[in-house]
Amino acid sequence: MGKEAIKVDRRGAVFEVTLDRPKANAIDNETSRAMGDIFAGFRDDPSLHVAIVTGGTGRFFSAGWDLKAAAEGVRPDSDYGVGGFGGLQELPGLNKPVIAAVNGMAVGGGFELALSCDIILASDQARFALPEIKAGTLADAATVKLPKRMPYHVAMELLLVGRWMEVEEAKHWGVVNEIVPHDQLMPRAREVADLLAAGPQLVFAAIKEVARTAENRTFQETMDLINGGKLATVQRLYNSADQLEGAKAFAAKRGPEWKGQ
């Protein structure tokens, strides 16, 4: 189905991506490659500042990897496209905020898709699971990310047992930012997106690059890169008109006018 399974909508500087592949919004190779192309387009479009990712109508945000394709012999290490599985988790240079609006069950790669976002808002009908262990395969991205996002022993239980995690537990462990009544999920996601879209885009880009750089480095190594002028987004910020505008606005006790320059 590819791009036919993905609905996109531009609302000012906000880009909404809806995975709509009934019944469970599962992701096969073709869909993943299409998602990567779509998110790369978002990354490269200067008029777009923030993205929201959600699932189509139904019970699922996403069931993750399409097991029907797996049963037909498609390998889990196949070509997922420029952004890796789901188009986000390995997309290089993505320095814009992405919000996951988890509207239902986020299972396996669907959970990993949410973990690839910067902010996770979840419906009160959301649930999470990593059942790959029961299918004899590896939840690779979740195995890398989840023990860093919640207590190690709880993350390992989810990975080793494949049990369900209710949305309240996910909030308790800090895996989701906020639980929202189901019919208010998208309005709330759009509210947060509008807040970010009006914010300092150069600062957001620097935050994302610094955070990404720090994942595999010590504190001092990362600070040395920042102070040595080795991170492009930080250098652009420090030499920008927005940096000066922020300081002037703070001193004058007025709201800043961000230009992204």
Side-chain angles (χ1 to χ4, degrees):
M1 295 179 68
K3 289 188 177 180
E4 293 79 11
I6 308 160
K7 297 177 181 177
V8 298
D9 185 39
R10 297 175 62 117
R11 191 174 52 82
V14 178
F15 188 57
E16 296 185 9
V17 180
T18 303
L19 177 60
D20 191 15
R21 192 168 181 257
K23 297 181 179 179
N25 297 324
I27 301 170
D28 62 4
N29 284 10
E30 186 180 2
T31 302
S32 182
R33 288 192 291 267
M35 292 173 74
D37 291 341
I38 286 169
F39 286 121
F42 159 69
R43 175 197 62 192
D44 298 338
D45 187 337
S47 70
L48 294 172
H49 295 173
V50 58
I52 301 171
V53 185
T54 193
T57 56
R59 300 169 58 217
F60 285 85
F61 169 71
S62 173
W65 172 237
D66 188 340
L67 290 179
K68 289 183 180 179
E72 293 171 358
V74 179
R75 289 175 56 86
D77 57 354
S78 300
D79 178 14
Y80 292 130
V82 65
F85 183 80
L88 272 180
Q89 60 191 20
E90 298 177 62
L91 184 63
L94 180 55
N95 292 326
K96 299 176 180 181
V98 182
I99 301 167
V102 181
N103 58 310
M105 290 183 280
V107 183
F111 191 0
E112 292 175 331
L113 177 61
L115 290 173
S116 299
C117 299
D118 302 296
I119 294 174
I120 303 178
L121 305 178
S123 158
D124 54 11
Q125 297 179 17
R127 302 173 76 201
F128 302 85
L130 296 165
E132 282 87 344
I133 189 72
K134 299 177 181 179
T137 192
L138 171 69
D140 49 10
T143 302
V144 174
K145 292 180 178 181
L146 202 57
K148 300 177 182 179
R149 310 282 182 89
M150 65 191 304
Y152 173 85
H153 298 96
V154 181
M156 291 303 289
E157 179 194 5
L158 291 170
L159 289 160
L160 294 171
V161 176
R163 71 170 176 84
W164 284 100
M165 177 170 63
E166 301 298 330
V167 68
E168 293 82 7
E169 183 184 357
K171 176 67 167 60
H172 172 77
W173 297 124
V175 175
V176 305
N177 296 80
E178 190 175 334
I179 301 172
V180 183
H182 188 73
D183 61 352
Q184 297 177 30
L185 178 63
M186 287 307 296
R188 176 57 179 155
R190 289 168 180 146
E191 180 182 17
V192 175
D194 287 344
L195 175 66
L196 294 174
Q201 303 307 308
L202 297 184
V203 181
F204 293 160
I207 289 170
K208 289 206 64 172
E209 186 178 21
V210 169
R212 190 169 59 245
T213 299
E215 283 185 353
N216 298 310
R217 292 175 174 84
T218 66
F219 170 80
Q220 195 57 55
E221 287 171 342
T222 304
M223 291 303 300
D224 288 345
L225 290 173
I226 294 171
N227 295 327
K230 302 298 184 182
L231 300 184
T233 58
V234 176
Q235 286 304 106
R236 184 183 179 198
L237 171 64
Y238 286 174
N239 291 295
S240 69
D242 275 3
Q243 173 85 19
L244 183 60
E245 166 64 10
K248 288 180 175 179
F250 184 83
K253 298 182 180 180
R254 61 171 174 80
E257 297 181 10
W258 307 120
K259 303 294 185 183
Q261 301 172 352

